C-alpha cells in the first residue's frame, strides 16, 4: 500500500490497515501515522475486522475521521511538498559536502528545520 494508499489519503479516503512485520506491510501504517490517523492502524486480524464493522455501523465516526483527514492534509508533513523539497535539497547539499571532504559513506540525520547548507 504505497502509492495507492498515498493517493487515497490525498483524495480524502481514509485507510484501514493491518500492520505487518516487514517494510512493505508497514507502509500504510507509516502514512496513517504521518497524517494523524493512528486509530486506523490495526495490529491483528480480529482488530481489523472489528474496526471495519464498527466504522460501517457508525457512519458519523467515519465522517469525523474523513473530516480530520481533509484538515490534516493541509497541516501535516505528509503532503507538505515545500518542506519535503527543502529537506531533500539540504540532504543533497550535505552529501555533496561529505563527498568534497572525502568523508566516505555514512548516515546523517536531516534536521527538522534545515537552514544552513
Amino acid at each position: 500500500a504505497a502509492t495507492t494508499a498515498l493517493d487515497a489519503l490525498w483524495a480524502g479516503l481514509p485507510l484501514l490497515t493491518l500492520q505487518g512485520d516487514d517494510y512493505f506491510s508497514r507502509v500504510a501504517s507509516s502514512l496513517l501515522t504521518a497524517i494523524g490517523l493512528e486509530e486506523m492502524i490495526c495490529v491483528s486480524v480480529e482488530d481489523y475486522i472489528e474496526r471495519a464493522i464498527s466504522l460501517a455501523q457508525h457512519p458519523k465516526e467515519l465522517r469525523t475521521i474523513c473530516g480530520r483527514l481533509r484538515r490534516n492534509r493541509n497541516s501535516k508533513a505528509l503532503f507538505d511538498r515545500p518542506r519535503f523539497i527543502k529537506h531533500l535539497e539540504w540532504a543533497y547539499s550535505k552529501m555533496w559536502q561529505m563527498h568534497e571532504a572525502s568523508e566516505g559513506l555514512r548516515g546523517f540525520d536531516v534536521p527538522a528545520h534545515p537552514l544552513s547548507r
Side-chain angles (χ1 to χ4, degrees):
T3 305
T4 304
L6 195 60
D7 289 345
L9 291 170
W10 178 249
L13 302 171
L15 301 175
L16 184 62
T17 191
L18 176 59
Q19 181 171 290
D21 294 326
D22 62 22
Y23 167 79
F24 295 106
S25 63
R26 297 177 77 88
V27 172
S29 297
S30 296
L31 295 173
L32 287 166
T33 299
I35 201 71
L37 294 177
E38 294 88 350
E39 73 273 19
M40 299 298 281
I41 303 168
C42 301
V43 295
S44 70
V45 173
E46 295 78 18
D47 182 30
Y48 182 89
I49 293 169
E50 182 179 307
R51 186 75 174 124
I53 291 170
S54 176
L55 289 169
Q57 292 175 339
H58 299 93
K60 186 176 179 182
E61 180 184 0
L62 185 56
R63 282 193 299 276
T64 299
I65 291 168
C66 288
R68 258 189 33 241
L69 172 56
R70 283 190 296 276
R71 284 188 305 279
N72 289 355
R73 279 189 317 194
N74 298 319
S75 64
K76 298 287 184 181
L78 182 62
F79 293 113
D80 187 346
R81 285 185 299 244
R83 179 176 181 246
F84 174 79
I85 291 167
K86 182 169 50 171
H87 283 91
L88 186 60
E89 288 174 341
W90 187 93
Y92 286 155
S93 294
K94 178 71 174 173
M95 287 184 275
W96 184 252
Q97 289 171 3
M98 291 166 56
H99 168 73
E100 285 184 324
S102 300
E103 292 182 28
L105 299 176
R106 67 174 174 82
F108 59 88
D109 292 325
V110 176
H113 302 286
L115 299 175
S116 62
R117 292 180 186 228

